[in-house]
Amino acid sequence: MGIVAGLDSSPDFTRIVVCDADTGTVLKQGYAPHPVEPAEGGGRPSDVDPQAWLLSLGEAAGGGLLEGVQAIGVSAQQNGLVPLDAQGNTVRPALVGSDKRAQVAAADIVDALGGREAWAQAVGCVPQAGQPVTKLRWLNRTEPDAARRTAFLMQAHDWLVWQLLGRPARRTTDRGGASGTGYWSAATGGYRPDLVELALGHQVGLPEVLGPSDAAGTTPEGLLISAGTGETMAAAFGLGVGLGDAVVSLGASGSVMAVHREALIDSSGMITSLADATGMHLPVVSTLNAVRALRGAAELLGLPDLESLSDLAMKSTPGSHGLVMLPYLEGERTPNLPHTAGMLAGLRRESMRPEHLARAAFEGMLCGLADALDVLRGRGVDVRRIFLLGKAAELTAVQAVAPALFGVQVVVPQPADYAAFGAARQAAWALGVSQGTLDPRTPPAWQGPVAQVREPGEELAMGQAVRQQYVAVREQAHPGAFRG
């Protein structure tokens, strides 16, 4: 079919991969950081001029990288809200990331609709500080003039697609990106303009939601641009996850998402019901504590890095000699215990050794994620294989412990920008459909990622015993936390 490109505009950089449209073989790559000043005190800013994304894109595509490319797919950071005026100009810099400024607005807008269950029923998620609907509430309350001038809403990938197409009258998004806004329902496949008005104070224009293999348009030069999607959906598509698969992401916090045929409505608010890039659904359960629990343990033990913690943990045995860590260092979201703290249980003279504490940190982190996985399994989500992502997934202790605790095959893909790869795969799909060589319901069958595969094997029974030990401590400390 030719050559396609995938563009991933993350919070910090733009990466482009150029691929063979038939096989997915990566032919060329480009990279450029975003020209964005860090926030005061370091870290990522909460306000970013979207032009920075275009400048980064242009630099990443330099040197003729896109010569011969027939189609481009765009992936971009989620929750990057771009408010536009009636002429299509930004009324203020884009609101990006998990914006701590909007924490009060999140609680405010949850109450405004009648609580967590009302939101779960309306759009399949309970607003968090980073979501566009919450940022609209914040904008309305703190920058009323900008709120009044806002006439159209876009997210980062929508805006980039629109710019690549030359800012046409038609503005588009996809199911995946729309499902994270807080004003589009994955269950009904439709917007909730009333929730936009509840947040912003008035109605605005919203982009047309395209199907997974639809094209957003063609540039004047004849380059096809696919629908695009959010980074989470693009990465899942790039990994090739399907029914029976789950993805466990290990960052400071953690998340578990799985492919499912239908949207899940969860009155507790633990499940966020997203749509994927194929026409299926991606229910997600998040935890507040993953790698931060490992870093805390490493600091407590005076270790310089997580590799040292992993090496120490491997000197212990499954179950950590009865030592159990509940890793709720920042409170917890799954289960919903925002004001709790972590704890160590099972302290005995024989368990009070550095290697047992190190192993308890790994087992506690992974048991917390297994709790999140069980939330999905309890709603009928089939999980037969888990993709484990994040730098911590490469640690020996994680790979040794995870298969037995999760009870299924664990795949650790080689580090790569799977969001850019997924965007390229989407471009190939849209290109093939436009040429009549691919079915709009069946994406191109690209080669899977290079990965390490770990099986539970003979450790399964021991892993389940460790899990039961953890659950017993959690139930004693927080009885009924997962009920009701």
Side-chain angles (χ1 to χ4, degrees), residues 1-5 18-27 66-72 223 424 427-429 431-432 435 437-438 444 446:
M1 286 194 317
I3 301 173
V4 296
V18 177
C19 301
D20 180 282
D22 292 312
T23 66
T25 301
V26 177
L27 307 174
L66 299 180
E67 284 180 12
V69 166
Q70 296 169 270
I72 294 179
L223 190 65
W429 194 5
L431 179 64
Q435 295 174 338
T437 57
L438 286 178
W446 280 11

Side-chain angles (χ1 to χ4, degrees), residues 169-414:
R170 183 192 189 211
R171 304 176 200 185
T172 63
T173 188
D174 87 307
R175 297 170 64 255
S179 66
T181 59
Y183 45 80
W184 186 89
S185 168
T188 65
Y191 281 115
R192 287 289 303 267
D194 58 312
L195 300 182
V196 175
E197 186 169 4
L198 179 69
L200 189 62
H202 62 91
Q203 294 287 339
V204 294
L206 299 168
E208 176 188 345
V209 181
L210 300 177
S213 62
D214 292 343
T218 305
T219 68
E221 298 77 27
L223 190 65
L224 183 142
I225 309 294
S226 64
T229 195
E231 273 190 318
T232 296
M233 300 79 191
F237 195 43
L239 284 166
V241 300
L243 290 170
D245 292 334
V247 178
V248 175
S249 295
L250 301 177
S253 54
S255 69
V256 179
M257 66 179 180
V259 180
H260 198 50
R261 292 189 185 279
E262 58 190 29
L264 297 178
I265 303 301
D266 174 38
S267 60
S268 74
M270 283 191 288
I271 298 174
T272 297
S273 193
L274 300 178
D276 80 345
T278 72
M280 299 284 236
H281 295 269
L282 277 179
V284 180
V285 179
S286 299
T287 69
L288 292 181
N289 302 277
V291 176
R292 64 166 40 100
L294 302 184
R295 295 203 182 283
E299 290 169 7
L300 183 64
L301 291 167
L303 298 173
D305 50 43
L306 296 186
E307 288 76 15
S308 301
L309 184 72
S310 173
D311 293 343
L312 183 62
M314 293 304 292
K315 296 177 181 177
S316 181
T317 54
S320 309
H321 272 245
L323 198 60
V324 175
M325 176 186 287
L326 292 188
Y328 303 158
L329 307 187
E330 297 281 334
E332 189 46 79
R333 182 176 173 185
T334 305
N336 186 30
L337 299 166
H339 306 300
T340 194
M343 66 177 290
L344 276 174
L347 283 169
R348 295 184 177 85
R349 180 65 189 86
E350 61 271 21
S351 67
M352 295 178 70
R353 295 184 58 82
E355 63 267 29
H356 302 324
L357 174 58
R359 181 153 187 133
F362 283 95
E363 291 178 344
M365 175 189 75
L366 291 167
C367 281
L369 288 160
D371 277 349
L373 187 63
D374 281 351
V375 171
L376 295 178
R377 283 172 163 157
R379 293 295 305 276
V381 177
D382 181 30
V383 178
R384 299 187 299 274
R385 179 174 64 163
I386 287 174
F387 288 82
L388 201 56
L389 301 185
K391 189 166 178 54
E394 301 171 39
L395 296 172
T396 302
V398 169
Q399 294 189 20
V401 173
L405 285 183
F406 293 146
V408 294
Q409 182 187 88
V410 170
V411 178
V412 184
Q414 183 175 300

